[in-house]
């Protein structure tokens, strides 16, 4: 699931860059910006032509390359802490995970789960709602939506 | 006879009682406050630790700078903690390790390899490290009551030679006496009698400390007596080493602009650009010599006198056998060795000011009693450096006279943490902190509150609602009729709602605000986090009131986060001396405005920078990088504002004059430049939120606001809350088209 998810992300970014390239706006003279764009994946993928009326989604941004190697151990530790009932520690770990990858919906999901486990449904809901701004797959979005009802 | 002696006895008893009471009073004063003074000195404030992991967006130069601020020494092969060698994009560093609140980071030899502007790999030996963090930059100490920032040292970190030299020169019998020295006082009295005036203090180190802490500098006998009594009491209650440590951190050693240089650690940085530990003996001697007259022996203003005084100190050090006569002679032959370069002084008074104010009141009283408090903050030295240099670069270009001032606040949009703060053009000097304390009208920076109020009513308003940008007169009870004007003094007729915000039209905005009601806009502002300084009157719609850059950051943080209000935090954790967490400031989201409405507002704020008053940002940023923002200009250009955000950072910048004079700048020609200069060099993520559920896009005729087809004249794509789309349609059928607008380009729909 992660692989296809990544492929989708890269394809989406590729499309974004292609589109940006044919923008009608003329680029300004000098742009000293050190903002780097990830390389688009050349992989061809069946294009899903979504007419605007059918809820086009902003393509999710690419995951920070290999940030997941840094992220996963933190998420695992946080999940264990939540299971042990050590919610403060779990949240501290998740906040650190969020600093490593601020746009990871997984981190938001972990936070929502922890808030829910400690009985703070309002905070679980608000956190999941914010996570929904970052979720990239239907499964991920649905997992977050479960906390918003 | 009997009566006289009786009287004398009475007098003596009376005097003893008075003295006793005085002692009790002074004793109470010392025991109740001295520990606090010492403890306040030891509360340490740290920056955020730099996280290192494969994939981290970090440039090699950023890492080099962080290590430099941390004081890592560049060597050819690191062998001890705190050493680093760099070979282009590869760093070998011996990390110092650190005890963080939750867990400890070990000291270890680490290799960090870069690939362009990202970390490629982090190794220790052959083992890959998933995630590690460097020790955090120490920002200084905090003395809550006095409102100063200092660089503090513990006695263990003060070189022994320095300690011995200090005692040799200032107070030879420090470790023997009871807080005062009879010999010293006798000598002082003798020289005072001889000259007929008070010329010498004869003070011990303990007395000097008492004088600095508690007493004025007047030279009267009563004050002197109080000083001696308090010194004795201090000596009774506290260890010699505690007193010496406090003295080393307290003593006054000159001025740095408006800032008093207190303590040897700060003086070492100020005069030599190095830490006290790194100084040579001749530099130690110079600092010790300055105690006698920080101004008279100031090495920058009076180098010759300072040199003479230093050499006297070096001779005394040799006579007292602190150093050998050979060392003394060699040191005396040295030049002053002042740091002439521009200082990389890790002093961040504006941010420390914020931390101090955010320390909860109860901390100042209760928990400061824990010696060795550590305060972990969200301060980011890398962002701070760029914010300072962007401010300097733009301000030098805009204003050579130095009359204009500037302040900026930077937060991380995901957490609301304040990462960098500039309170004035001279960012490294403590002074008026404009980021927190300059209270100005916000001009059009408040307009998003009007538009958000409207967009939260999808039954009545959408981005395509036609507004009327035509003259109006607003009559309020008891006030003069008010006729707002557009910046260009023209009326623009019918405009779409998003265009009115993008072009910052005052007439359309005031009309919309009056339709919605001022109270409704005040309510929205409160939900966005702005509650103070908001006048409940029509002029609010065009930015009346008093707002600091931090207030505006709070408002835009809520917007940037997607409609979630959160406090702008500078403190993450507070930990006691044993590493036990005293308080954690957890991240909490509170959704206070409609998610969908905020998404629509984001669109309009993106239109500001794509085609409206903020289009100047794309002279700095690459075309493909999505950001959103708003300009603000107040009457006659007294205040120039810009607030905006990308996918990771929010920044609010302000330019104006302290005397509230005219700047000649608009938001777009002033503050925008600081903002964009900074963002172009720091932001790593473009704005790219997923569109919330229950929304869709639609092609709209940009003139009529009617639904139209793709490829039709004046067509453009706008987002809508489902059901809020315009009812009317143009008669144009959709057709294939190559026209792309910036918003459509975000969607992969017809790529």
């Amino acid at each position: 699931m992660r692989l296809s998810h990544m492929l989708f992300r890269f394809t989406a970014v590729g499309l974004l860059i292609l589109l940006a390239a044919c923008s009608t706006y003329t680029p300004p003279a000098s742009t000293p910006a050190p903002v780097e764009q990830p390389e688009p994946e050349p992989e061809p993928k069946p294009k899903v032509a979504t007419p605007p009326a059918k809820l086009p989604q902003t393509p999710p941004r690419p995951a920070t390359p290999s940030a997941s190697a840094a992220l996963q151990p933190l998420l695992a530790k946080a999940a264990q802490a939540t299971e042990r009932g050590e919610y403060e520690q779990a949240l501290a770990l998740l906040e650190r995970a969020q600093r490593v990858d601020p746009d990871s919906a997984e981190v938001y999901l972990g936070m929502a789960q922890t808030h829910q486990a400690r009985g703070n449904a309002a905070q679980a809901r608000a956190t999941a709602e914010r996570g929904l701004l970052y979720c990239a797959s239907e499964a991920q979005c649905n997992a977050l939506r479960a906390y918003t009802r | 006879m009997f009566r006289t002696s009786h009287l004398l006895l009475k007098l003596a008893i009376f005097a003893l009682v008075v003295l006793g009471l005085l002692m009790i009073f002074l004793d109470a004063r010392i025991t109740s406050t001295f520990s606090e003074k010492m403890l306040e000195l030891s509360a340490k404030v740290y920056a955020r630790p730099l996280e290192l992991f494969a994939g981290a967006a970090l440039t090699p130069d950023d890492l080099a700078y962080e290590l430099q601020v941390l004081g890592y020494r560049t060597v050819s092969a690191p062998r001890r903690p705190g050493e680093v060698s760099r070979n282009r994009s590869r760093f070998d560093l011996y990390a110092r390790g650190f005890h963080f609140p939750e867990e400890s980071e070990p000291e270890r030899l680490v290799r960090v390899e870069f690939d362009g502007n990202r970390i490629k790999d982090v190794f220790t030996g052959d083992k890959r490290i998933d995630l590690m963090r460097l020790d955090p930059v120490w920002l200084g100490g905090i003395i809550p009551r006095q409102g100063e920032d200092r660089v503090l040292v513990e006695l263990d970190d003060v070189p022994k030679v320095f300690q011995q030299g200090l005692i040799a020169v200032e107070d030879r019998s420090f470790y023997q006496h009871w807080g005062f020295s009879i010999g010293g006082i006798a000598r002082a009295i003798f020289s005072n009698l001889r000259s007929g005036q008070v010329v010498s203090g004869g003070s011990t180190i303990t007395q000097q400390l008492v004088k600095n802490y508690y007493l004025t500098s007047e030279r009267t006998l009563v004050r002197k007596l109080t000083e001696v009594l308090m010194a004795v009491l201090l000596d009774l209650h506290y260890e010699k080493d505690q007193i010496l440590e406090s003295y080393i951190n307290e003593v006054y050693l000159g001025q740095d602009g408006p800032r008093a240089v207190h303590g040897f650690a700060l003086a070492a940085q100020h005069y030599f650009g190095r830490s006290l530990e790194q100084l040579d003996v001749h530099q130690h001697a110079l600092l010790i010599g300055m105690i006698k007259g920080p101004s008279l022996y100031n090495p920058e203003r009076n180098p010759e006198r300072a040199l003479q005084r230093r050499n006297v100190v070096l001779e005394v050090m040799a006579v007292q056998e602190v150093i050998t006569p050979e060392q003394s002679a060699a040191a005396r032959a040295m030049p002053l060795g002042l740091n002439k370069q521009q200082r990389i002084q890790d002093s961040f008074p504006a941010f420390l000011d914020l931390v101090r104010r955010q320390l909860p009141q109860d901390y100042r009283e209760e928990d400061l009693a824990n010696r060795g408090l550590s305060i972990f903050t969200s301060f980011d030295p890398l962002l701070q450096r760029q914010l300072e240099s962007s401010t300097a670069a733009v301000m030098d270009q805009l204003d050579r006279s130095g009359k204009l001032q500037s302040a900026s606040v930077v937060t991380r949009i995901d957490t609301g943490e304040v990462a960098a703060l500039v309170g004035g053009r001279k960012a490294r000097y403590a002074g008026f902190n404009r980021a927190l304390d300059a209270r100005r009208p916000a001009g059009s920076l408040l307009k998003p509150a009007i538009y958000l109020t409207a967009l939260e009513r999808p039954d009545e308003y959408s981005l395509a609602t036609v507004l009327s940008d035509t003259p109006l007169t607003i009559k309020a009870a008891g006030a003069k009729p008010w006729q707002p004007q557009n910046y260009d003094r023209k009326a623009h007729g019918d405009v779409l709602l998003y265009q009115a915000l993008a072009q910052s039209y005052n007439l359309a905005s005031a009309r919309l605000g009056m339709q919605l009601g001022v109270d409704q806009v005040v309510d929205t502002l409160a939900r966005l986090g702005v509650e103070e300084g908001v006048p409940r009157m029509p002029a609010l719609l065009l930015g009346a009131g008093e707002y600091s850059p931090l207030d505006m950051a709070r408002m835009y943080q809520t917007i940037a986060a997607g409609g979630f209000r959160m406090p702008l935090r500078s403190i993450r954790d507070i930990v006691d001396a044993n590493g036990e967490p005293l308080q954690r400031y957890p991240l909490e989201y509170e959704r206070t405005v409609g998610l969908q409405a905020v998404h629509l507002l984001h669109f309009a704020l993106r239109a500001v920078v794509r085609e409206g008053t903020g289009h100047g940002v794309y002279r700095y940023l690459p075309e493909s990088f999505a950001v959103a923002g708003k300009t603000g200009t107040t009457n006659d250009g007294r205040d120039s504002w810009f607030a905006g955000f990308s996918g990771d950072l929010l920044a609010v910048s302000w330019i104006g004059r302290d005397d509230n004079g005219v700047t000649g700048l608009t938001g777009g020609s002033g503050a925008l430049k600081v903002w964009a200069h900074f963002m172009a060099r720091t932001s790593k993520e473009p704005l790219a939120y997923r569109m919330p559920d229950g929304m869709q896009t639609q092609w709209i005729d940009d003139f009529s606001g009617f639904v139209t087809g793709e490829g039709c004249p004046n067509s453009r794509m706008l987002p809508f809350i489902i059901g809020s789309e315009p009812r009317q349609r143009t008669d144009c059928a959709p057709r294939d088209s190559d026209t792309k607008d910036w918003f459509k380009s975000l969607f992969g729909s017809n790529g």
Side-chain angles (χ1 to χ4, degrees):
Chain A
M1 190 220 91
R2 276 203 75 75
L3 183 67
S4 70
H5 174 163
M6 291 289 281
L7 280 178
F8 174 69
R9 284 183 168 204
F10 279 120
T11 317
V13 171
L15 286 170
L16 173 65
I17 289 170
L18 281 174
L19 278 165
C22 51
S23 155
T24 51
Y25 288 88
T26 44
S30 68
T31 25
V35 183
E36 60 275 52
Q37 288 289 331
E39 286 297 307
E41 191 86 342
E43 172 100 5
K45 197 184 169 236
K47 211 174 356 181
V48 190
T50 324
K54 278 174 70 187
L55 268 187
Q57 292 299 334
T58 308
R61 70 194 70 193
T64 313
S66 40
S68 65
L71 211 55
Q72 293 311 324
L74 282 176
L75 291 174
K77 267 195 229 171
Q80 287 160 12
T82 303
E83 266 177 41
R84 286 196 306 271
E86 292 168 8
Y87 304 122
E88 284 293 319
Q89 203 205 346
L91 289 172
L93 287 162
L94 287 163
E95 281 179 38
R96 188 174 174 206
Q98 191 188 34
R99 286 176 205 129
V100 168
D101 186 357
D103 301 343
S104 162
E106 256 182 293
V107 174
Y108 281 90
L109 188 57
M111 286 179 170
Q113 281 160 349
T114 308
H115 286 303
Q116 189 76 29
R118 77 191 305 199
N120 189 344
Q123 198 47 236
R125 179 193 172 96
T127 307
E129 277 178 331
R130 189 162 151 75
L132 278 166
L133 297 172
Y134 294 112
C135 63
S137 67
E138 265 314 295
Q140 205 174 39
C141 293
N142 285 333
L144 285 161
R145 280 190 191 105
Y147 290 93
T148 66
R149 289 188 189 109
Chain B
M1 182 66 199
F2 174 77
R3 290 179 68 89
T4 331
S5 65
H6 187 69
L7 186 68
L8 277 178
L9 185 66
K10 274 189 174 173
L11 277 174
I13 290 172
F14 178 72
L16 273 175
V17 169
V18 169
L19 191 68
L21 286 173
L22 184 65
M23 293 284 273
I24 291 169
F25 168 73
L26 294 176
D27 192 57
R29 192 153 165 223
I30 282 179
T31 47
S32 69
T33 59
F34 185 73
S35 6
E36 201 179 306
K37 278 177 189 288
M38 282 199 304
L39 303 167
E40 283 167 5
L41 288 177
S42 59
K44 290 178 175 175
V45 184
Y46 293 100
R48 62 90 190 90
L50 186 62
E51 302 272 3
L52 302 178
F53 56 93
L58 186 78
T59 68
D61 287 343
D62 282 344
L63 178 59
Y65 179 75
E66 179 90 12
L67 292 168
Q68 195 186 341
V69 177
L70 281 167
Y72 277 65
R73 289 158 55 102
T74 306
V75 295
S76 52
R79 282 189 198 87
R80 289 185 304 163
E83 293 182 342
V84 61
S85 72
R86 176 182 177 181
N87 186 350
R88 289 166 188 275
S89 61
R90 196 183 72 204
F91 290 73
D92 288 302
L93 63 96
Y94 209 126
R96 289 192 186 118
F98 195 83
H99 294 291
F100 286 102
E102 320 93 69
E103 57 186 323
S104 285
E105 194 71 45
E107 54 175 63
R108 52 185 162 177
L109 190 60
V110 174
R111 169 166 291 186
V112 183
E113 288 177 3
F114 283 85
D115 183 9
N117 293 335
R118 282 190 189 277
I119 293 180
K120 195 169 99 193
D121 254 322
V122 186
F123 287 102
T124 179
D126 295 336
K127 213 172 131 246
R128 182 170 274 140
I129 300 176
D130 285 335
L131 178 64
M132 67 166 285
R133 47 193 158 178
L134 293 177
D135 39 324
V137 170
W138 178 30
L139 298 182
I142 253 187
I143 304 174
R145 209 162 358 90
Q146 297 178 344
E148 296 169 36
D149 69 297
R150 296 192 182 186
V151 180
L152 304 170
V153 281
E154 287 177 14
L155 201 59
D156 289 346
D157 297 331
V158 178
K160 276 280 174 269
V161 173
F162 180 84
Q163 292 183 34
Q164 289 161 2
L166 180 64
I167 287 167
V169 173
E170 283 299 316
D171 187 359
R172 264 168 239 173
S173 57
F174 176 71
Y175 279 101
Q176 287 84 45
H177 64 57
W178 292 354
F180 73 104
S181 147
I182 301 275
I185 290 178
R187 244 176 292 131
I189 290 174
F190 179 67
S191 63
N192 291 351
L193 283 177
R194 208 172 45 178
S195 68
Q197 55 185 355
V198 184
V199 292
S200 170
S203 297
T204 62
I205 280 177
T206 321
Q207 282 169 278
Q208 292 181 41
L209 185 60
V210 164
K211 194 169 71 184
N212 279 4
Y213 271 176
Y214 299 104
L215 305 171
T216 59
S217 60
E218 55 172 339
R219 293 177 167 181
T220 65
L221 206 60
V222 173
R223 207 228 56 182
K224 191 78 194 170
L225 188 69
T226 321
E227 178 188 299
V228 171
L229 284 177
M230 288 180 90
V232 171
L233 292 168
L234 198 64
D235 195 69
L236 205 63
H237 282 295
Y238 298 96
E239 300 281 325
K240 290 282 184 189
D241 281 352
Q242 288 177 306
I243 294 170
L244 186 62
E245 182 180 289
S246 296
Y247 179 79
I248 285 170
N249 283 314
E250 170 64 30
V251 67
Y252 173 68
L253 291 162
Q255 278 306 119
D256 179 8
R259 181 169 74 158
V261 177
H262 280 279
F264 284 106
L266 185 60
Q269 290 206 342
H270 174 69
Y271 293 108
F272 303 112
R274 292 162 69 181
S275 75
L276 196 54
E277 294 169 87
Q278 293 169 329
L279 297 188
D280 296 323
V281 70
H282 68 279
Q283 293 166 315
H284 285 151
L286 180 69
L287 293 179
I288 293 168
M290 284 180 68
I291 300 170
K292 195 177 170 193
S295 164
L296 189 65
Y297 301 114
N298 183 311
E300 286 165 346
R301 270 184 291 146
N302 303 316
E304 281 180 25
R305 245 184 266 162
L307 192 74
Q308 279 174 8
R309 173 72 189 151
R310 181 198 76 179
N311 290 348
V312 169
V313 170
L314 286 166
E315 278 170 34
V316 172
M317 285 171 81
V319 171
Q320 296 292 316
E321 297 179 354
V322 175
I323 52 177
T324 65
E326 292 76 28
Q327 285 172 318
S328 175
R332 271 177 282 154
M334 298 292 284
L336 285 174
L338 297 183
N339 179 28
K340 295 245 161 56
Q341 291 173 348
Q342 213 197 353
R343 290 169 190 135
I344 296 187
Q345 197 172 287
D346 35 359
S347 156
F348 307 101
F351 190 84
L352 279 173
D353 191 18
L354 177 66
V355 172
R356 198 175 294 120
R357 293 188 208 193
Q358 293 195 338
L359 268 180
Q361 203 65 41
D362 50 329
Y363 261 90
R364 300 183 191 178
E365 284 139 37
E366 278 173 47
D367 292 311
L368 276 174
N370 292 289
R371 189 173 166 81
L373 218 61
S374 295
I375 300 169
F376 291 91
T377 73
S378 50
F379 183 77
D380 187 328
L382 303 174
L383 292 179
Q384 179 70 22
R385 173 173 70 150
Q386 187 56 55
L387 188 61
E388 287 176 13
S389 82
S390 290
T391 302
V394 173
M395 294 308 289
D396 288 350
Q397 176 212 330
L398 287 176
D399 167 48
R400 295 207 167 275
S401 73
K403 286 196 175 121
L404 294 190
Q405 272 298 345
S406 180
S408 296
V409 179
V410 175
T411 68
R412 297 199 175 272
I413 66 164
D414 305 285
T415 57
E417 288 184 335
V418 181
L421 195 71
V422 163
R425 273 174 90 171
K426 289 189 175 165
R428 296 292 170 104
Y429 290 91
F432 184 40
N433 192 346
R434 293 164 192 82
L436 275 51
D437 295 326
R439 300 196 175 273
R440 300 301 186 99
S444 307
L445 238 50
L446 293 193
K447 278 182 188 156
I450 307 175
Y451 288 82
L452 191 58
T453 309
L455 294 167
E456 281 187 313
R457 302 180 189 176
D459 295 344
E460 299 167 61
Y461 298 97
S462 72
L463 290 173
T465 302
V466 178
L467 301 181
S468 171
D469 189 61
T470 51
L472 76 160
T473 304
I474 296 166
K475 296 192 185 91
K480 274 196 292 183
W482 177 48
Q483 288 178 302
Q485 293 263 2
N486 273 330
Y487 184 77
D488 62 3
R489 313 252 156 203
K490 289 180 192 150
H492 304 90
D494 284 352
V495 292
L496 300 196
L497 183 138
Y498 86 89
Q499 294 162 345
L501 184 59
Q503 304 300 339
S504 206
Y505 291 147
N506 287 340
L507 303 181
S509 301
R511 276 182 184 279
L512 177 61
M514 292 310 289
Q515 265 173 40
L516 296 162
V518 172
D519 285 348
Q520 299 302 309
V521 177
V522 170
D523 174 70
T524 304
L525 272 176
R527 286 185 286 129
L528 291 173
V530 184
E531 292 178 83
E532 281 173 34
V534 181
R536 209 172 272 270
M537 57 188 222
L540 167 71
L541 302 173
L542 298 184
E546 295 189 326
Y547 314 96
S548 66
L550 192 72
D551 290 333
M552 287 297 97
R554 200 172 292 119
M555 169 179 170
Y556 278 83
Q557 167 66 33
T558 308
I559 296 171
F564 298 86
R565 186 170 67 184
M566 57 197 94
L568 299 187
R569 301 177 303 162
S570 65
I571 303 172
R572 287 178 179 172
D573 297 281
I574 300 180
V575 172
D576 72 10
N578 304 321
E580 290 298 316
L582 290 179
Q583 185 147 353
R584 226 175 70 75
Y585 291 78
L587 174 67
E588 287 189 346
Y589 296 114
E590 183 191 1
R591 190 165 69 70
T592 52
V593 287
L595 290 176
Q596 297 167 325
V598 170
H599 193 82
L600 296 176
L601 180 64
H602 281 187
F603 176 91
L605 293 174
R606 287 160 76 154
V608 170
V609 293
R610 288 291 176 187
E611 55 199 84
T613 54
H615 68 271
V617 305
Y618 285 106
R619 281 202 295 274
Y620 296 83
L621 286 160
E623 195 68 22
S624 59
F625 198 80
V627 295
K630 186 71 195 81
T631 53
T633 311
T634 63
N635 292 349
D636 307 322
R638 289 173 202 280
D639 303 278
S640 163
W641 290 94
F642 194 85
F645 47 94
S646 62
D648 53 0
L649 299 176
L650 159 76
V652 174
S653 294
W654 167 87
I655 296 175
R657 287 170 56 149
D658 283 344
D659 64 5
N660 201 20
V662 173
T663 65
L665 296 170
T666 62
S669 66
L672 175 145
K673 293 182 176 174
V674 176
W675 184 93
H677 192 280
F678 169 77
M679 279 298 207
R681 288 163 179 78
T682 51
S683 179
K684 310 278 198 317
E685 298 283 350
L687 189 57
Y689 286 135
R690 198 182 65 89
M691 187 187 274
D693 297 343
M695 299 186 74
Q696 64 181 15
T697 56
Q698 181 59 266
W699 290 97
I700 294 295
D701 182 301
D702 214 16
F703 287 104
S704 65
F706 293 175
V707 171
T708 190
E710 181 177 8
C712 290
N714 315 316
S715 67
R716 67 178 307 148
M717 190 190 258
L718 299 184
F720 288 91
I721 297 173
I722 290 174
S724 72
E725 299 86 349
R727 305 250 181 270
Q728 289 157 297
R729 295 189 151 270
T730 61
D731 49 12
C732 171
R735 63 194 78 167
D736 279 344
S737 159
D738 287 337
T739 47
K740 301 281 192 292
D741 67 25
W742 56 263
F743 183 61
K744 188 192 166 223
S745 73
L746 295 169
F747 297 97
S749 53
N750 285 281

